[in-house]
Amino acid sequence: MTPVDIARLFLFVREAGPNRGLRVEAIQHWSAGQFGDSWCAEFATLVLDLFFQGASPIPRQGGAQDIRALCTANGWMTDTPSPGDLYFYVDANDHAHHVGLLTSLDPLMGISGNTSADGTSDNGDRVAEHSITATHFAAYPRS
């Protein structure tokens, strides 16, 4: 099973209120997050924690920028991503504000938590797979 396969198991997850709901809060709790916080990074690290059976090179956490900084420090950022790699939405100040997993290169698609069905929101109400416009990727070690 790949990280993408694991992430797709969560496509049914929806918020019951802004960044709230039993399943969303379970994702937040798994990654030591706070209920009510944005949860894209918590979803991504939950998927990796499951894939690596508790030994992920990226620890469970709640900050897209923290994950990007770790990937940068470890030399995992890449211009040639593959499905299963992380993607980041980065603002004009070079700060990552959203993270998900790349699912396809052509077309460019990803899956993330705390997004909208169409992927236009980085603070949406669900787990969704959709087109992405990300240009920052991390190929973390898989073995």
Side-chain angles (χ1 to χ4, degrees):
M1 186 169 266
T2 70
V4 172
D5 295 330
I6 293 168
R8 286 179 174 149
L9 293 173
F10 292 86
L11 285 170
F12 68 94
V13 172
R14 301 290 181 273
E15 292 181 358
N19 296 325
R20 299 303 297 247
L22 184 62
R23 291 182 176 101
V24 169
E25 291 169 2
I27 291 167
Q28 292 165 326
H29 183 70
W30 184 290
S31 294
Q34 299 297 311
F35 298 155
D37 285 350
S38 295
W39 50 281
C40 65
E42 292 160 339
F43 174 72
T45 59
L46 170 135
V47 169
L48 295 178
D49 190 49
L50 292 170
F51 176 73
F52 285 101
Q53 300 178 2
S56 174
I58 300 172
R60 293 173 290 155
Q61 58 187 295
Q65 179 58 33
D66 294 335
I67 296 170
R68 182 171 176 241
L70 176 70
C71 292
T72 299
N74 283 297
W76 301 337
M77 300 305 290
T78 183
D79 293 328
T80 55
S82 299
D85 289 349
L86 296 174
Y87 72 85
F88 298 93
Y89 283 159
V90 178
D91 65 20
N93 296 317
D94 201 36
H95 181 85
H97 57 90
H98 190 69
V99 61
L101 286 103
L102 185 65
T103 61
S104 171
L105 293 171
D106 188 20
L108 197 58
M109 303 274 296
I111 188 169
S112 62
N114 203 195
T115 191
S116 55
D118 63 4
T120 59
S121 176
D122 61 359
N123 192 20
D125 66 350
R126 66 189 65 216
V127 173
E129 185 172 6
H130 45 66
S131 298
I132 61 172
T133 58
T135 58
H136 296 81
F137 303 94
Y140 53 87
R142 294 209 177 42
S143 56

